[in-house]
Amino acid sequence: KILMGNTMNINNDDINSYIVSLNGDYNANFEYLTNNLLNKKIRQKLINYIDEHHNTEKDFKLDLSNNDLQSLIGKYNFSKLKNIFSKFNKIKLRKVTGNNSFIGFHTDHAIKTLKIPLNSHNEYNGGDLIYLTKNKIHIPKQNLNSITIHQNNIVHGVTRLTSGIRYSLFLL
């Protein structure tokens, strides 16, 4: 219900029991940072890069090496990114095309995840990141200068993407 945009009949007990059923920690938290780490030109370069490698998948993930990312965003920005999120061993660009799909609530296998939106939320409908914590539903705004970071103990999902394309950069 939550991922389809219906939160009217959801109570705190429902949220908390759902967290426990997914082996999450209802005291988990996430970080929401605003930082103009990647300017418009760099974000567009990353979008162009994934578009060049995109196949027909509606949810396409492209693995990058440290060297690939550094060459795309520059040494200075790569260094700034490492200062924010120092320990990562996977880098992924993700392109999701609006087809009414959603990502069900889950906890991650990666110990820690950083997400940076690459395009404006005005370019797609839906695709909202949702976190569940004790008695609360959090929907952090995915603004162009935002960064979300979470551990693998927080339950989260993404609402139905009904139209447009959502681009993101992930460090895991």
Side-chain angles (χ1 to χ4, degrees):
K1 292 179 189 178
I2 297 169
L3 294 174
M4 296 303 180
N6 181 5
T7 59
M8 290 183 53
N9 296 323
I10 304 295
N11 63 44
N12 292 344
D13 290 337
D14 292 335
I15 294 168
N16 296 338
S17 63
Y18 199 58
I19 292 168
V20 171
S21 74
L22 292 170
N23 297 317
D25 178 354
Y26 56 72
N27 292 312
N29 58 27
F30 64 94
E31 293 178 69
Y32 180 83
L33 308 171
T34 55
N35 182 326
N36 195 21
L37 179 68
L38 303 178
N39 65 33
K40 183 177 181 176
K41 182 178 177 181
I42 292 171
R43 289 191 312 269
Q44 189 60 54
K45 193 173 187 181
L46 291 167
I47 289 170
N48 292 344
Y49 188 81
I50 194 169
D51 282 345
E52 289 168 9
H53 294 84
H54 180 234
N55 59 24
T56 59
E57 291 177 63
K58 297 286 186 184
D59 186 354
F60 179 68
K61 298 171 194 150
L62 180 64
D63 291 319
L64 297 178
S65 69
N66 285 1
N67 289 339
D68 291 336
L69 184 59
Q70 185 171 311
S71 71
L72 286 164
I73 69 173
K75 197 178 261 188
Y76 176 74
N77 290 313
F78 187 77
S79 176
K80 283 175 41 180
L81 189 56
K82 284 190 80 164
N83 285 336
I84 293 169
F85 197 77
S86 60
K87 294 183 181 180
F88 59 91
N89 59 12
K90 289 185 182 177
I91 304 166
K92 293 186 181 285
L93 287 174
R94 189 170 192 176
K95 177 182 180 179
V96 182
T97 304
N99 63 351
N100 291 317
S101 65
F102 62 93
I103 300 170
F105 283 114
H106 64 282
T107 55
D108 289 342
H109 294 288
I111 294 170
K112 199 171 185 180
T113 302
L114 173 142
K115 177 190 178 278
I116 300 175
L118 297 178
N119 64 324
S120 170
H121 201 284
N122 297 332
E123 297 176 41
Y124 55 89
N125 292 308
D128 294 315
L129 175 62
I130 296 182
Y131 291 110
L132 300 180
T133 62
K134 186 175 184 177
N135 301 330
K136 293 186 181 173
I137 299 170
H138 305 270
I139 306 173
K141 295 287 182 198
Q142 297 297 289
N143 297 325
L144 287 176
N145 63 347
S146 70
I147 297 171
T148 53
I149 300 173
H150 64 265
Q151 302 279 340
N152 64 352
N153 62 346
I154 192 165
V155 173
H156 60 286
V158 179
T159 64
R160 194 167 43 111
L161 184 64
T162 58
S163 65
I165 299 172
R166 186 178 65 131
Y167 294 92
S168 306
L169 171 65
F170 288 89
L171 301 182
L172 309 152

